[in-house]
């Protein structure tokens, strides 16, 4: 065929296909009738062709009926760059995107509105990049602080997790792009993630690990979900009848697509019958996939019924009708100032002030003339790195660039690298330089000595915290402690900024240093937000979304020797006592507790009260607490409400987060904070009756500024 006739043929096919789509969209039939009619027209081969990958990130599509391919892409940091073949970059100049702060940064904002804006803006960018499904948000529970993906995930608390996940999903889907919530379920470690089996009691499963998924489906109405790599209770998540058929599709009435994680499908018949709809992440030839020719054979052999296949096809078409065939997809927008503003706002609200004993912060830039900026993390970017999802950021402001942007003219900024953040191979901690680089430390000491203030930027980086491997321990990498000690000795105005997506052991810094800031892999606007916080243009309001243990062995999974498992079995012996639930109940003092974070101002809590004293199980508790900003700066505070059930008939955590609200209060002003808790949220899951039980009796309500700084206590009775 010559070039011209090839061109004509392609044009004809396109016109035909487009007309077909248009015809389908304009058709006034209900989506259900349209899908049913399409299914009737499909051959078995066509049906099965919808159920597996057609490229590393694509699947499905039936050209003769004008059904477009589904184009997926990672999240959660932003819309990932395009690939050509396999995982290789397509080397385009058109696939840069906004880099949004990592998952635990978003969680540290405790701000569901920001989770919505994150989803909305990433959805717009996904549209501009012609994606149908964003593989985000990711929110597995932080069970061990070592998990390599802690930075991608949100929190150790199911309630905070759920509130953020629901809004992120709604935001993405507001753009007619499907969210794909992941990884369902219990992907809490990367060590042996592809083979390990999790043994867990159903109560812990229901109370800790599933609530955010349930909320994302039933409240957020997520259109797709990704099964995790690991096994749960003996079966791979991608062929787990209990998780997929019984809970997700049965109890939660999930209407969308269950897709496997990449190359995470392990069978044809079991996966098909137990609830998987779409096999993803495979390599060509795709006809060899579990859900390709072998599935056609299984149908012909009567091992998988046509009803099961039709249900999967229905789900895929249904999601296509919500997205690329919805008829109201926008063109999308990418790298806009609004998206940068969202990245900035998340970053600004995520930074956690851990210690400010000397009131050195905010920096008084009217008097300070010289600042030493020290550390590899001051000039390092975080949009890419390690194994797994990153984003080709259009730009990323480093910490040093942010400080120069904000202070450049008035302050002499002197930089020294201090340490090298390069890691030699993608194994666990062992692969960083064993000894500190004394030349780099000497240079750092020299600039620190000659400057009024030294700001150290240390912590992890995206190569060090990575998908597919856990950290070996909590220690700071790259011999950073030696640098901190050396700089602190010569400059009494040293500020330590630790950058990371997961807890680290910073106990020595907590003991020796007066000023400590926690920051994250904080997106395109990282440096600007950080600089604004340091100079007081932003009053810090981030709160830790997980506990920092004083020692790794204080953490439940480690205290009980229940990580990473033996012989590919890991038993979640701590049950429901995950994160602060464990530390509180076992009276173990953490280094920094869940919900902790200081401000440049102070908030005083008084008068916690409830609308009634006695409640029925069907009612909602309305709690009110008065919060006064007693300091001299306006500031944002996250008011946290925990509930405990003393003397319960079952084991309970001392207290559990049941409501929170983030508000801004002007200096000297007072705010009446109203928090609502449906009584049904106080239920525990009874494994014997397989139901949620609201226990009658007295409950305690605790309001405070963190999980340990509780200043207001009240009680109510459930009849
Ligand atoms: C990850 C997923 C990701 C997929 C595609 C897998 O290794 O677990 O989260 O969406 O790769 O990049």
């Amino acid at each position: 065929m010559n070039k011209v006739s090839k061109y004509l043929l392609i044009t004809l096919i396109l016109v035909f296909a487009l007309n077909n789509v248009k015809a389908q969209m304009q058709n006034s039939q209900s989506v259900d009738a349209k899908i049913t009619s399409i299914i009737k027209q499909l051959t078995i081969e066509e049906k099965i062709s919808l159920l597996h990958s057609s490229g590393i990130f694509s699947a499905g599509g039936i050209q003769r009926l004008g059904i477009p391919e589904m184009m997926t892409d990672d999240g959660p940091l932003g819309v990932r760059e395009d690939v050509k073949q396999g995982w290789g970059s397509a080397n385009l100049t058109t696939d840069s995107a906004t880099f949004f702060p990592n998952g635990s940064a978003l969680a540290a904002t405790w701000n569901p509105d920001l989770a919505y804006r994150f989803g909305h803006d990433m959805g717009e960018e996904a549209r501009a990049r012609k994606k149908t499904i964003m593989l985000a948000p990711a929110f597995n529970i932080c069970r061990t602080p070592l998990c390599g993906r802690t930075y991608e995930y949100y929190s150790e608390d199911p309630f905070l997790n759920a509130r953020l996940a629901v809004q992120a999903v709604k935001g993405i889907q507001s753009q007619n792009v499907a969210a794909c919530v992941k990884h369902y379920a219990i992907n809490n470690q990367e060590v042996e993630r592809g083979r390990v089996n999790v043994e867990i009691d159903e109560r812990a499963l229901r109370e800790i690990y599933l609530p955010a998924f349930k909320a994302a489906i039933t409240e957020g109405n997520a259109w797709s979900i990704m099964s995790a790599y690991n096994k749960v209770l003996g079966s791979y998540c991608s062929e787990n009848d209990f998780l997929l058929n019984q809970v997700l599709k049965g109890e939660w009435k999930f209407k969308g697509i269950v897709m496997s994680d990449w190359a995470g499908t392990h069978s044809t018949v079991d996966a098909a019958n137990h609830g998987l709809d779409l096999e993803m992440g495979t390599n060509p030839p795709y006809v060899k996939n579990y859900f390709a020719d072998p599935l056609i054979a299984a149908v012909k052999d009567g091992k998988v019924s046509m009803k099961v296949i039709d249900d999967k096809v229905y789900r895929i078409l249904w999601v296509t009708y919500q997205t690329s065939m919805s008829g109201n997809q926008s063109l999308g927008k990418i790298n806009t100032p609004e998206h940068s503003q969202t990245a900035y706002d998340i970053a600004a609200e995520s930074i956690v002030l851990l210690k400010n004993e000397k009131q050195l912060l905010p920096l008084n830039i009217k008097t300070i003339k010289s600042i030493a900026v020290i550390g590899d993390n001051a000039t390092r970017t975080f949009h890419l790195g390690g194994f797994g999802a990153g984003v080709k950021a259009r730009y990323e402001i480093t910490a040093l660039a942010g400080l120069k942007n904000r202070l450049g003219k008035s302050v002499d900024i002197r930089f020294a690298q201090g340490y090298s953040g390069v890691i030699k191979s993608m194994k666990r901690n062992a692969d960083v330089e064993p000894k500190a680089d004394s030349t780099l430390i000497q240079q750092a000491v020299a600039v620190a000595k000659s400057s009024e203030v030294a700001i150290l930027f240390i912590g992890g980086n995206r190569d060090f915290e990575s998908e597919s491997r856990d950290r070996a321990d909590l220690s700071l990498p790259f011999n950073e402690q030696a640098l901190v000690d050396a700089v602190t000795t010569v400059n009494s105005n040293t500020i330590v900024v630790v950058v990371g997506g997961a807890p680290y052991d910073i106990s020595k810094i907590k003991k020796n240093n007066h000023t400590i800031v926690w920051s994250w892999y904080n997106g395109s606007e990282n440096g600007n937000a950080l600089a604004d916080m340091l100079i007081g243009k932003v009053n810090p309001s981030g709160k830790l979304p997980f506990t920092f243990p004083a020692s790794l062995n204080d953490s439940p999974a480690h205290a009980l020797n229940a990580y990473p498992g033996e012989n590919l079995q890991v038993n979640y012996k701590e049950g429901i006592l995950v994160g602060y639930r464990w530390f509180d109940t076992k009276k173990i003092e953490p280094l920094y507790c869940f919900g902790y974070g200081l401000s440049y101002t102070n908030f005083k809590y008084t008068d916690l009260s409830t609308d009634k004293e006695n409640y029925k199980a069907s009612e909602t508790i309305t709690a009110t607490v008065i919060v006064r900003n007693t300091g001299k700066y306006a500031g944002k505070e996250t008011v946290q409400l925990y509930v405990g059930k003393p003397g319960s008939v079952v084991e309970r955590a001392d207290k559990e987060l049941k409501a929170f609200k983030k508000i801004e209060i002007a200096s000297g002003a007072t705010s009446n904070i109203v928090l609502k808790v449906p009584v049904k949220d106080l239920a525990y899951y009874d494994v014997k009756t397989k139901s949620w039980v609201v226990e009658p009796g007295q409950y305690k309500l605790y309001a405070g500024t963190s999980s340990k700084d509780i200043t207001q206590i009240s009680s109510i009775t459930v009849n």
Side-chain angles (χ1 to χ4, degrees):
M1 204 186 297
N2 67 25
K3 261 190 178 168
V4 178
S5 45
K6 208 169 165 188
Y7 173 79
L8 276 174
L9 183 68
I10 292 172
T11 314
L12 269 174
I13 291 172
L14 275 176
V15 169
F16 177 72
L18 284 175
N19 276 340
N20 238 313
V21 174
K22 223 165 136 193
Q24 290 185 43
M25 291 189 312
Q26 282 165 358
N27 200 324
S28 58
Q29 286 174 303
S30 72
V31 166
D32 176 66
K34 286 179 203 167
I35 296 174
T36 310
S37 134
I38 295 173
I39 292 177
K40 282 194 188 131
Q41 299 171 54
L42 297 175
T43 64
I44 177 166
E45 287 75 15
E46 284 174 326
K47 287 179 184 175
I48 304 284
S49 76
L50 292 172
L51 309 185
H52 61 81
S53 312
S54 56
I56 195 78
F57 282 110
S58 59
I62 307 255
Q63 227 179 25
R64 87 175 167 91
L65 296 175
I67 297 164
E69 255 189 335
M70 276 189 311
M71 302 305 295
T72 73
D73 207 356
D74 284 302
L77 302 181
V79 189
R80 183 183 186 141
E81 74 179 308
D82 284 329
V83 292
K84 199 174 176 188
Q85 260 158 11
W87 293 94
S89 163
N91 288 321
L92 306 178
T93 50
T94 48
D95 60 349
S96 68
T98 303
F99 167 29
F100 293 99
N102 66 286
S104 44
L106 182 62
T109 69
W110 290 61
N111 188 338
D113 294 342
L114 286 176
Y116 182 87
R117 283 175 57 196
F118 151 77
H120 173 278
D121 291 5
M122 192 166 68
E124 273 190 342
E125 301 213 344
R127 276 307 306 133
R129 298 266 308 279
K130 308 214 168 6
K131 310 296 178 195
T132 331
I133 302 184
M134 275 312 291
L135 307 173
F139 46 80
N140 291 91
I141 286 283
C142 175
R143 173 181 184 247
T144 159
L146 299 183
C147 176
R149 300 187 87 169
T150 305
Y151 81 91
E152 267 185 86
Y153 298 156
Y154 291 159
S155 170
E156 66 187 22
D157 180 77
F159 184 77
L160 176 59
N161 231 8
R163 292 308 97 214
L164 298 167
V166 166
Q167 293 308 317
V169 166
K170 285 187 175 171
I172 295 170
Q173 295 190 168
S174 69
Q175 301 306 303
N176 292 96
V177 170
C180 179
V181 296
K182 65 190 190 183
H183 308 86
Y184 183 67
I186 325 202
N187 173 205
N188 311 109
Q189 68 186 54
E190 293 295 284
V191 174
E192 291 292 2
R193 67 174 179 182
R195 302 195 300 162
V196 76
N197 174 46
V198 178
E199 287 298 325
I200 184 172
D201 75 76
E202 197 176 341
R203 183 166 168 221
L205 179 72
R206 300 267 187 182
E207 291 188 20
I208 306 291
Y209 297 93
L210 295 190
F213 285 101
K214 181 180 182 186
I217 303 302
T218 58
E219 283 178 61
N221 191 24
W223 295 330
S224 70
I225 190 167
M226 188 188 291
S227 58
Y229 280 127
N230 47 285
K231 294 180 185 171
V232 171
L233 301 171
S235 330
Y236 277 112
C237 290
S238 56
E239 55 188 55
N240 195 308
D241 187 67
F242 171 69
L243 286 177
L244 303 181
N245 279 340
Q246 297 176 40
V247 175
L248 175 67
K249 292 180 174 176
E251 292 175 28
W252 302 345
K253 313 221 172 329
F254 175 62
K255 287 170 72 178
I257 304 167
V258 180
M259 71 175 76
S260 71
D261 200 340
W262 268 227
T265 307
H266 299 272
S267 64
T268 297
V269 176
D270 278 354
N273 287 333
H274 294 171
L276 185 73
D277 301 312
L278 177 60
E279 176 181 8
M280 286 303 292
T282 52
N283 292 316
Y286 298 108
V287 285
K288 297 263 189 253
N289 289 183
Y290 289 109
F291 271 23
D293 285 357
L295 188 51
I296 299 180
V299 174
K300 289 187 175 156
D301 287 352
K303 290 181 182 149
V304 177
S305 70
M306 193 55 92
K307 194 168 162 239
V308 165
I309 300 296
D310 285 351
D311 175 65
K312 298 183 195 309
V313 172
Y314 189 100
R315 288 166 183 274
I316 284 167
L317 293 174
W318 183 77
V319 172
T320 309
Y321 270 103
Q322 312 305 313
T323 54
S324 47
M325 283 171 68
S326 64
N328 47 17
Q329 269 194 316
S330 68
L331 288 175
K333 289 178 190 164
I334 195 144
N335 292 315
T336 64
E338 291 77 19
H339 297 178
S340 291
Q341 187 65 46
T342 298
Y344 173 89
D345 290 346
I346 296 170
E349 287 201 19
S350 73
I351 301 166
V352 184
L353 180 61
L354 294 178
K355 199 170 171 190
N356 195 20
E357 220 170 58
K358 222 176 131 182
Q359 309 295 309
L360 186 56
L361 293 176
L363 291 171
N364 186 350
I365 53 167
K366 287 201 188 103
T367 59
I368 296 170
K369 292 282 164 276
S370 60
I371 298 180
V373 173
I374 298 167
D376 188 275
N377 271 347
T379 50
R380 185 171 281 273
T381 57
F382 304 112
H383 53 276
L384 291 172
F387 177 87
V391 53
K392 194 195 228 171
R394 161 72 66 86
Y395 73 94
E396 178 180 346
I397 309 285
T398 63
L400 179 63
L403 282 165
K404 284 188 172 164
N405 283 346
R406 299 307 196 241
L407 305 173
K409 289 187 191 96
S410 57
V411 180
D412 182 9
I413 294 175
R414 302 147 186 183
F415 172 71
Q417 194 193 350
Y419 68 92
S420 159
V422 173
I423 86 170
K424 290 186 292 179
S425 71
M426 288 294 197
K427 283 191 270 133
R428 295 170 79 192
N429 283 25
D431 49 14
V432 300
E433 282 297 342
K435 279 205 349 260
D437 184 325
S438 55
T439 314
L440 291 181
I441 293 191
Q442 273 162 26
Q443 289 165 354
V445 164
V447 292
K449 241 185 199 164
S450 63
S451 306
E452 285 167 63
V453 173
I455 313 180
L456 274 165
F457 292 89
I458 58 161
N461 62 39
R462 290 285 317 289
D463 289 328
F464 188 68
E465 289 177 40
S466 169
E467 183 183 332
S468 90
R469 62 197 155 88
D470 293 345
R471 285 178 294 153
D473 55 46
L474 291 177
S475 53
L476 285 168
F478 314 120
N479 302 290
E480 292 167 359
Q481 187 65 53
L483 174 70
V484 176
D485 293 345
V487 169
T488 307
T489 308
V490 297
N491 190 315
S492 59
N493 288 331
T494 295
I495 296 163
V496 184
V497 180
V498 193
V499 177
Y504 282 77
D505 179 1
I506 51 166
S507 44
K508 196 166 176 208
I509 296 175
K510 183 181 179 189
K511 190 161 153 254
N512 295 345
N513 290 79
H514 46 70
T515 314
I516 314 171
V517 173
W518 189 269
S519 188
W520 313 89
Y521 306 128
N522 238 343
S524 291
E525 287 284 325
N526 169 37
N528 287 336
L530 204 44
D532 285 343
M533 177 265 162
L534 293 170
I535 63 175
K537 202 175 145 201
V538 164
N539 188 350
S541 64
K543 303 265 188 183
L544 296 177
F546 30 60
T547 308
F548 276 45
S551 146
L552 182 60
N553 283 334
D554 291 346
S555 273
H558 301 271
L560 300 173
N561 199 15
Y563 164 91
E566 266 173 50
N567 302 323
L568 302 177
Q569 302 290 324
V570 53
N571 190 337
Y572 282 26
K573 291 182 203 158
E574 70 283 8
I576 56 160
L577 297 183
V578 176
Y580 68 89
R581 287 165 164 78
W582 168 268
F583 286 81
D584 274 4
T585 311
K586 303 287 178 189
K587 315 260 177 285
I588 301 168
E589 196 59 34
L591 189 68
Y592 287 111
C593 70
F594 174 78
Y596 177 81
L598 303 174
S599 163
Y600 293 148
T601 188
N602 290 305
F603 298 100
K604 189 167 166 43
Y605 288 53
T606 55
D607 303 294
L608 173 63
S609 64
T610 51
D611 58 335
K612 304 201 296 177
E613 278 168 18
N614 295 292
Y615 294 86
K616 292 191 209 116
S618 56
E619 293 178 324
T620 291
I621 304 163
T622 302
T624 308
V625 62
I626 295 175
V627 181
R628 184 175 169 78
N629 179 344
T630 57
K632 53 182 181 189
Y633 299 94
K636 289 182 180 163
E637 167 70 336
T638 298
V639 181
Q640 302 164 37
L641 186 74
Y642 297 82
V643 181
K645 174 81 190 76
S648 170
V649 294
V650 288
E651 179 185 44
R652 297 252 194 173
D654 262 13
K655 59 184 185 309
E656 300 180 338
L657 182 71
K658 294 295 175 193
F660 63 88
K661 192 172 268 179
K662 189 162 192 176
I663 30 94
E664 174 146 27
I665 309 180
S667 164
T670 295
S671 191
N672 270 22
I673 310 298
V674 179
L675 298 148
K676 301 220 175 230
V677 182
V679 175
K680 69 174 174 34
D681 285 4
L682 307 182
Y684 69 88
Y685 187 79
D686 183 10
V687 284
K688 285 203 201 95
T689 58
K690 291 196 170 293
S691 61
W692 291 93
V693 176
V694 178
E695 200 182 344
Q698 201 196 50
Y699 288 78
K700 288 212 148 160
L701 271 52
Y702 307 91
T705 186
S706 78
S707 63
K708 283 190 81 72
D709 191 357
I710 300 292
T711 47
Q712 294 292 301
I713 303 180
S714 169
S715 54
I716 58 112
T717 302
V718 172
N719 301 313

